Amino acid sequence: ATQFIWPFKAAFRIIWLETHHSVTVIGRQKRDYVWIMARQPQVSEEKLGEILTYLKRVGYDTAKIQRVPQRWPQ
């Protein structure tokens, strides 16, 4: 369990980890929250599809996953 600010706790787990940590997926056992994080601002559509297929297979409602545009300073 991760404790952010007492008394709030959450059970987060690494459920996907690419070589060299280029992409990491953090999720909850309840399958109600999931975060797809990458070292680069973009994840290839192929890789994202692979991750979403996996998430659906393990019980996440992938229709609820929202993409957040990444804007990095130039």
Side-chain angles (χ1 to χ4, degrees), residues 3-68:
Q3 187 164 350
F4 297 103
I5 301 172
W6 180 87
F8 302 105
K9 290 184 181 180
F12 295 103
R13 297 187 170 140
I14 296 172
I15 58 175
W16 181 285
L17 185 62
E18 288 285 308
T19 307
H20 306 294
H21 305 170
S22 59
V23 179
T24 304
V25 180
I26 307 294
R28 285 181 22 107
Q29 189 171 4
K30 290 182 176 184
R31 310 259 189 310
D32 55 352
Y33 288 96
V34 65
W35 292 267
I36 301 170
M37 299 178 286
R39 290 186 180 260
Q40 299 296 319
Q42 300 294 324
V43 175
S44 74
E45 290 299 318
E46 181 180 343
K47 180 57 62 182
L48 185 58
E50 184 181 348
I51 293 168
L52 292 174
T53 298
Y54 169 77
L55 291 173
K56 187 171 188 170
R57 191 176 76 233
V58 297
Y60 285 89
D61 183 352
T62 56
K64 293 183 178 179
I65 294 176
Q66 298 177 13
R67 294 177 94 166
V68 177

